[in-house]
Amino acid sequence: MRVACLGGGPAGLYFAISMKLRDPAHEVVVIERNKPDDTFGWGVVLSDETLDNLAENDARSAEAIRANFSYWDDVAVQYRGEKTISTGHGFCGIGRKKLLILLQDRARELGVELRFETEAESATHYAKEFDLVVASDGLNSRTRTEFAEHFQPDIDTRKCKFVWLGTHQKFDDAFTFIFEETDKGWVWAHAYQFDDETATFIVECTQETWDAYGFGEMSKEESIATCEDIFKDHLGGHNLISNAHHIRGSAWLSFPRVLCNSWSHENIVLMGDAAATAHFSIGSGTKLALESAIALANYLHSEPDLKSAFDKYEDERRLEVLRLQSAARNSMEWFEEIERYFDFDPVQFTYSLLTRSQRISHENLRVRDAKWLEGAERWFQSRAGLPEKAPVRHPMFVPYKLRDMDLKNRIVVSPMAQYKAVDGCPTDWHLVHYAERAKGGAGLVYTEMTCVSADGRITPGCPGLYDAAHETAWKRITEFIHAETDAKVCMQIGHSGRKGSTQLGWDEMDAPLPDGNWPLLSASAVAWSERNAVPRAMTREDMDGVREQFVASAQMAERAGFDMVEVHAAHGYLLSSFISPVSNVRDDEYGGSLENRMRYPLEVIDAVRAVWPSSKPMSVRISANDWVGDSGVTPEEAVEIARILKAHDVDICDVSAGQTTTDAKPVYGRMFQTPFSDRIRNEANIATMAVGNIYEADHVNSILMAGRADLVCLARPHLANPYWTLHQAANLGSQTQNWPAPYYPGRDQMHRLAERADTMTGKV
């Protein structure tokens, strides 16, 4: 096979090597416009896993690469005058120039033709001459541009600005992050050693800080001098160095996140940054390129034709690329939004940084550096008022206080519709359901949305709090929970609005009842969907009536013994329909601007707060993203909504998202709604609850320790296991959580089994 590799970076060189290893008869040519020893990067970071993959593919080049690595185990964070060190991270780095020379030598040894200082012609030209064209022509791939209609690239230029520099200052003891506050904003550096004399030193800042400095108008020399001044306390008198001699101006860049819909066209295939990019803050770009080279070479020799090989290559590598891009996106966005964390204590700031990509979890961090994590956990629980010498707890088991309500831990049983009420009245099902979850160890148990009127129900099976019988039934439940457990109970009250009068959830969600439908109210006369009835746009009289229904329900909740009340203003129900512009098209003082859209929900919230005891907390649940772009509520607007709620004496914001329109296009994933809680908590400065696909203790501990929420809500895990909290405590070796006395034998057995498992796995 005659093969042309367009681009002589790590991807093209290593693919050429891999092809010749599999069949020396292949004629492989690498075409590179630069000189052999030119390079415009500094260091390259690889993991031990990648080195093992390289060794399996080509032991000789892997050995040469390994021999030239700089190794370090620590991460150091310089922030607010403190240096925090966490160990056990296992990085290794090599100079990009050295890596290229080693790969060039190996390629020549195997008979690869290397054409340097050769400007490549179009991929179309080579596709006629060669059997296979590998476009490893980098971030600004000409091939990707030439065949854009086939590759369909999605290029997202990100917010921060960065410049890739080097220095002879030593950073050989740790991968070092340095954060400096200046009169023009925060500037930070990512620094790591890659040979005996040189370290990478990437300087990054927000666009606003970059503009304030005027970096865009500076020469490269002026820009470097400014960076040297910013980081003078960390450079030990050494200069910063640029090798971007080919770039005019200051050499600052904006990172483009690239992902192509297709990676091949006829006999042309993309590889490395031409196909997909991973942000430098997780250092996986070269890893992706080298491992993709191995995969493509393998499939070209195992499959019957190019198309089959390309299909297998793309199927395998796309999954890995998406996984790494997801981690890279998390990391990149952490740095883009870093200014929301600059009020954090250095302990929490470091934890947030270390876990930013979600590749390092709470317990994984314990494996890496148990001593540092224990200190961080002790810091976290001391902030909650536990004595300094108290046994160290996992964050999820640290108490929390809202007004006079003391929660024994941070676990919340989310509101979960049961559809088992009769004429709005909770039954024995509800007693058992809520009591079991309170016995199961959660600090706070929520009712499902409990409706303020019969016509405010979602379905005929939804509970209410608008009749004396309802109050009596709910009081029976709270009295049992308070008598037999130390859990607290929150009553969530709401009105279904345009999503009411529908079938039970397990029949057909959101579908109208076959008969017996009741009239609907909403902010505007906009139906939930084509099959749902059109609601009546609320009049002033309607607003007054529903507001008083909320007030009456809150008063019933107080008499029934609830510890907390939440007003449901999310998920497209009545109050949510006012807040979201997708359902509120009013042209009066209740529509249009956010101030107007919040007007009626605030009337309800203020009225509820007025009758709810001042010693007890109140929450509001919001949808922080309509998932319809700028035409709906956005995460940015959700911050302003939360600020307004705080100004109206709301204690905590229950941060959900979506379910406000059938046009929504949510992006699902593990903890997918937590970023909204994070943003609201740290920009609006209000306590938050995180919800949404949180199902492991590790998720909970990471969210809390990183300051992304104050409480964490779990729904489905509690449906599957009412005793989720107590079981997680046993699995984690925590004995701080109270079990009901009749269940002590089960508790003791779980503790013994957990200890035995830890012994067998070497944890103790």
Side-chain angles (χ1 to χ4, degrees), residues 438-734:
K439 287 161 59 183
L444 180 63
V445 177
Y446 261 76
T447 70
E448 61 204 279
M449 188 176 95
T450 301
C451 305
V452 298
S453 68
D455 285 356
R457 290 176 298 164
I458 309 166
T459 76
C462 289
L465 197 47
Y466 50 86
D467 186 275
H470 303 163
E471 181 181 325
T472 300
W474 283 118
K475 187 173 183 178
R476 178 178 177 230
I477 293 170
T478 62
E479 286 181 342
F480 178 91
I481 291 174
H482 289 146
E484 301 294 345
T485 81
D486 48 9
K488 305 299 183 185
V489 198
C490 179
M491 164 57 69
Q492 186 190 68
I493 53 176
H495 188 294
S496 60
R498 66 180 184 149
K499 295 178 75 174
S501 191
T502 59
Q503 300 178 37
L504 303 185
W506 50 74
D507 290 334
E508 190 174 359
M509 182 71 72
D510 293 334
L513 294 168
D515 52 63
N517 286 278
W518 54 83
L520 305 179
L521 295 174
S522 190
S524 302
V526 179
W528 170 248
S529 74
E530 291 183 356
R531 62 181 181 174
N532 294 85
V534 175
R536 184 174 81 247
M538 292 181 74
T539 64
R540 180 67 260 178
E541 183 179 3
D542 292 329
M543 293 181 194
D544 292 342
V546 170
R547 183 195 64 226
E548 293 312 307
Q549 290 169 352
F550 271 91
V551 168
S553 291
Q555 292 171 321
M556 287 186 179
E558 159 60 11
R559 293 194 297 267
F562 284 91
D563 304 288
M564 177 176 168
V565 70
E566 176 169 288
V567 174
H568 200 325
H571 298 173
Y573 298 124
L574 183 68
L575 298 185
S576 173
S577 75
F578 276 87
I579 297 172
S580 174
V582 301
S583 49
N584 184 344
V585 295
R586 300 175 73 105
D587 57 6
D588 60 5
E589 67 270 31
Y590 294 97
S593 68
L594 178 62
E595 179 185 5
N596 284 357
R597 287 183 276 123
M598 288 294 295
R599 193 182 305 275
Y600 180 64
L602 290 175
E603 289 180 14
V604 172
I605 290 164
D606 288 343
V608 170
R609 179 73 267 182
V611 300
W612 188 246
S614 61
S615 61
K616 293 185 177 184
M618 186 174 88
S619 171
V620 174
R621 171 169 276 208
I622 66 168
S623 287
N625 192 345
D626 284 341
W627 299 110
V628 290
D630 292 340
S631 62
V633 170
T634 64
E636 181 180 17
E637 189 173 62
V639 173
E640 185 56 33
I641 291 170
R643 289 193 180 108
I644 294 170
L645 294 177
K646 182 181 180 182
H648 284 257
D649 224 12
V650 172
D651 299 291
I652 191 166
C653 192
D654 187 354
V655 185
S656 187
Q659 303 180 56
T660 57
T661 171
T662 56
D663 295 328
K665 294 181 179 179
V667 180
Y668 293 112
R670 183 180 49 154
M671 299 181 282
F672 73 108
Q673 295 180 150
T674 301
F676 308 133
S677 167
D678 183 348
R679 182 169 188 174
I680 286 171
R681 180 183 188 271
N682 294 304
E683 292 185 14
N685 194 28
I686 184 174
T688 63
M689 290 185 274
V691 307
N693 206 22
I694 301 166
Y695 52 86
E696 292 180 358
D698 241 17
H699 299 165
V700 178
N701 287 320
S702 295
I703 289 168
L704 294 168
M705 190 71 224
R708 307 179 80 193
D710 300 278
L711 298 173
V712 179
C713 305
L714 297 95
R716 288 175 176 84
H718 280 120
L719 287 178
N721 180 4
Y723 295 85
W724 185 89
T725 303
L726 294 180
H727 291 176
Q728 296 305 315
N731 292 338
L732 291 170
S734 172

Side-chain angles (χ1 to χ4, degrees), residues 163 165 180-189 201 203-205 209-235 238-241 250 252:
V163 60
L165 303 172
E180 285 292 322
E181 185 176 18
T182 77
D183 61 349
K184 294 178 175 59
W186 285 82
V187 186
W188 54 95
F201 199 90
V203 179
E204 188 177 13
C205 63
T209 299
W210 191 79
D211 290 337
Y213 266 104
F215 279 122
E217 288 73 48
M218 292 182 189
S219 68
K220 187 160 57 262
E221 292 73 23
E222 291 170 332
S223 177
I224 290 174
T226 302
C227 291
E228 287 172 344
D229 183 62
I230 292 170
F231 295 102
K232 59 182 180 295
D233 293 341
H234 308 278
L235 291 172
H238 292 278
N239 295 327
L240 292 175
I241 314 161
S250 64
W252 287 76

Side-chain angles (χ1 to χ4, degrees), residues 242-321:
S242 173
N243 60 12
H245 307 302
H246 61 305
I247 297 178
R248 293 182 179 179
S250 64
W252 287 76
L253 303 169
S254 298
F255 181 80
R257 196 275 298 149
V258 175
L259 182 64
C260 293
N261 186 58
S262 174
W263 294 359
S264 63
H265 173 60
E266 296 179 349
N267 64 336
I268 302 169
V269 63
L270 300 178
M271 184 178 292
D273 284 349
T277 57
H279 193 256
F280 58 82
S281 62
I282 66 166
S284 294
T286 302
K287 164 190 168 67
L288 285 177
L290 297 176
E291 293 178 348
S292 290
I294 295 171
L296 180 57
N298 283 338
Y299 287 126
L300 286 168
H301 290 85
S302 67
E303 301 306 305
D305 52 51
L306 283 183
K307 185 180 185 310
S308 300
F310 290 166
D311 288 346
K312 286 282 187 72
Y313 158 70
E314 187 170 340
D315 286 346
E316 176 192 319
R317 295 304 300 161
R318 182 176 291 277
L319 182 62
E320 177 67 6
V321 164

